[in-house]
Amino acid sequence: MLLPLLRSHPLLHHAARLSSPRTRLLLRRDAIPLARSPPIRMAASSGSGASSPASAPPAAVVHKSKIKFCPACGSPTKLAIPDGDEKMRAVCSSCGRVHYENPKMVVGCLVEHDNKVLLCRRKIEPAYGLWTLPAGYLEVGESTAEGASRETLEEACADVEIVSPFAQLDIPLIGQSYIIFRARLKTPNFSPGPESLECALFALDDIPFDSLAFSSIIVTLRMVFPPP
Amino acid sequence: MLLPLLRSHPLLHHAARLSSPRTRLLLRRDAIPLARSPPIRMAASSGSGASSPASAPPAAVVHKSKIKFCPACGSPTKLAIPDGDEKMRAVCSSCGRVHYENPKMVVGCLVEHDNKVLLCRRKIEPAYGLWTLPAGYLEVGESTAEGASRETLEEACADVEIVSPFAQLDIPLIGQSYIIFRARLKTPNFSPGPESLECALFALDDIPFDSLAFSSIIVTLRMVFPPP
């Protein structure tokens, strides 16, 4: 039967949402440039930090569009609600094409080695000089796991094997959705790529929680290392 | 310590990839219009069907762009490799902006009720007349769980509570990444929305595996109902 099969499966994730006070605490050093403290909603393989299921959705609102001109024909767009839709979209004033704006996926790795985790110190803005997990935007043509491996190779020159998904986090306000994978080094070699000042393995007591680049990285590492 | 904590956690997902023969079998009725049988890579809460971890990534290749004109200024774009990049991008010939093309996220619900699962028969192309889980593109401004709930409300007029993430699947060739959530009906009511011909609850023996709309839906339902 369906329900017993699903309910007894040991690998199911918990959908969860950070409570507001903890979210504010975790976001106080947020360095994402488009919005200082966007709320994070998460569904993670760790149950720590939250226990209530996600509730009913609020309506998504798009008041303006970054798509001022039609990418297909170059004519100006206008904001309109297309037939059968409920939201304002950028619609071409000439060819009538509707242009949607969708969230971007960020994929990255929680690389474990010798009971430590691999972090990179950013050589680029935003958050220049702060520490992060190797992660970046997913590209067309690659899977999420492949994208996470590629970003780790680019940012830390580290060749990794993906172990499993670790956490999925959403930052709706800026249209980002993260999937972070657990990974291990195929060889014990890493070095800073062009976008990193340095890369290093950190043990539990040495994680630079005061110098992390993004709220998403703080949340992810707090799932590995819960505060005392 | 880090490794024991991670390795012993009961809720971790398995990253997995469908083996080729099974992928071909599952994709034989694929109805995704942009590519008849795109390979699916998946990371799912069910370990069935695959056991090997994801391997090293192939390079993502973008040979052409759908962005012929700059969405910001309307000038023609050209294909070029920007400084510090390794891939061809659409670059504005006038203002120099680089326009990236990223995968889209599809979110949906596996709604369980009375040991049955809720399916919708599509009233729109592609795959008109075939059955699917309620799912659609994630919008900016909503979390993945909120998007999955919204799509279920729109396509099946069903008000659901998200229980947990169930499966994450990638279709790299067409730039889609799915997250399917387990969900339950808040009230035992549902009816076809504007994009559905009908909605119905199906028990194990009644799932219309010969009339499912998309390979991603076949793969997801096969994780719930493995073939004998």
Side-chain angles (χ1 to χ4, degrees):
Chain A
M1 301 300 283
L2 173 59
L3 285 179
L5 175 67
L6 290 177
R7 285 187 174 151
S8 67
H9 201 290
L11 294 173
L12 289 179
H13 280 192
H14 273 299
R17 182 178 301 204
L18 289 178
S19 63
S20 295
R22 184 154 187 250
T23 303
R24 282 197 293 273
L25 174 67
L26 288 166
L27 292 172
R28 71 188 188 279
R29 291 182 298 269
D30 196 285
I32 293 173
L34 296 179
R36 181 142 185 88
S37 295
I40 287 184
R41 291 89 185 251
M42 70 174 185
S45 56
S46 165
S48 66
S51 59
S52 60
S55 60
V61 177
V62 178
H63 288 300
K64 54 187 178 181
S65 174
K66 295 175 186 169
I67 305 171
K68 307 295 184 193
F69 295 87
C70 176
C73 79
S75 301
T77 62
K78 57 186 177 185
L79 285 177
I81 300 177
D83 288 345
D85 204 334
E86 295 179 348
K87 302 182 187 73
M88 298 287 277
R89 312 287 185 184
V91 180
C92 180
S93 58
S94 176
C95 71
R97 283 183 178 85
V98 180
H99 300 288
Y100 301 89
E101 291 176 78
N102 299 98
K104 291 184 178 179
M105 292 192 76
V106 179
V107 291
C109 284
L110 181 77
V111 182
E112 308 156 55
H113 188 75
D114 283 345
N115 290 330
K116 297 175 180 175
V117 63
L118 180 65
L119 297 181
C120 304
R121 200 154 72 87
R122 289 173 63 84
K123 196 177 178 178
I124 55 173
E125 295 291 354
Y128 182 99
L130 299 181
W131 291 91
T132 185
L133 294 172
Y137 287 122
L138 183 66
E139 301 262 5
V140 170
E142 64 188 4
S143 71
T144 47
E146 289 164 350
S149 296
R150 174 186 52 75
E151 288 289 344
T152 306
L153 191 62
E154 289 178 2
E155 298 185 2
C157 301
D159 189 12
V160 297
E161 176 188 8
I162 297 293
V163 177
S164 66
F166 177 73
Q168 189 267 320
L169 307 91
D170 301 309
I171 313 180
L173 192 60
I174 59 173
Q176 289 185 350
S177 184
Y178 279 68
I179 297 181
I180 302 294
F181 291 86
R182 289 176 61 217
R184 63 171 70 97
L185 294 172
K186 289 182 179 174
T187 62
N189 305 314
F190 57 87
S191 60
E195 298 184 356
S196 301
L197 291 165
E198 59 181 315
C199 301
L201 290 166
F202 288 88
L204 169 62
D205 292 341
D206 300 325
I207 295 279
F209 276 103
D210 287 334
S211 304
L212 293 179
F214 303 112
S215 56
S216 52
I217 304 304
I218 300 174
V219 170
T220 301
L221 288 171
R222 279 295 182 209
M223 286 191 279
V224 188
F225 307 107
Chain B
M1 301 299 282
L2 173 59
L3 285 180
L5 175 67
L6 289 178
R7 286 186 174 153
S8 66
H9 201 290
L11 295 173
L12 289 179
H13 280 193
H14 273 300
R17 182 178 301 203
L18 289 178
S19 63
S20 295
R22 182 152 189 250
T23 303
R24 282 197 294 273
L25 174 67
L26 288 165
L27 292 172
R28 71 187 188 279
R29 291 182 298 269
D30 196 284
I32 293 173
L34 297 179
R36 179 141 186 89
S37 295
I40 287 184
R41 291 90 185 250
M42 70 175 185
S45 55
S46 165
S48 66
S51 59
S52 60
S55 60
V61 177
V62 178
H63 288 300
K64 54 187 178 181
S65 174
K66 295 175 186 170
I67 305 171
K68 307 295 184 192
F69 295 87
C70 176
C73 78
S75 301
T77 62
K78 57 186 177 185
L79 285 176
I81 300 177
D83 288 345
D85 205 334
E86 295 179 348
K87 302 182 187 73
M88 297 286 276
R89 311 287 185 184
V91 180
C92 180
S93 58
S94 176
C95 71
R97 284 183 177 85
V98 181
H99 300 288
Y100 301 89
E101 291 175 79
N102 299 97
K104 291 184 178 179
M105 291 192 77
V106 179
V107 290
C109 284
L110 181 78
V111 182
E112 307 156 56
H113 188 75
D114 283 345
N115 290 329
K116 298 176 180 175
V117 64
L118 180 65
L119 298 181
C120 305
R121 200 154 72 87
R122 289 172 63 84
K123 195 177 178 178
I124 54 173
E125 295 291 353
Y128 182 99
L130 299 181
W131 291 91
T132 185
L133 294 172
Y137 288 121
L138 183 65
E139 301 263 5
V140 170
E142 64 188 4
S143 71
T144 47
E146 290 165 350
S149 297
R150 173 185 53 74
E151 288 289 344
T152 306
L153 191 62
E154 288 178 3
E155 297 185 2
C157 302
D159 189 12
V160 297
E161 176 188 9
I162 297 293
V163 177
S164 66
F166 177 73
Q168 189 267 320
L169 307 91
D170 301 309
I171 312 180
L173 192 60
I174 59 172
Q176 289 185 349
S177 185
Y178 279 68
I179 296 181
I180 302 293
F181 291 86
R182 289 177 61 218
R184 62 171 71 97
L185 294 172
K186 290 182 180 174
T187 62
N189 305 314
F190 57 86
S191 60
E195 298 184 356
S196 301
L197 291 165
E198 59 181 315
C199 301
L201 290 165
F202 288 88
L204 169 61
D205 292 341
D206 300 326
I207 295 280
F209 276 103
D210 287 333
S211 304
L212 293 179
F214 304 112
S215 56
S216 52
I217 304 304
I218 300 174
V219 170
T220 300
L221 288 171
R222 279 294 181 210
M223 287 191 279
V224 188
F225 307 107

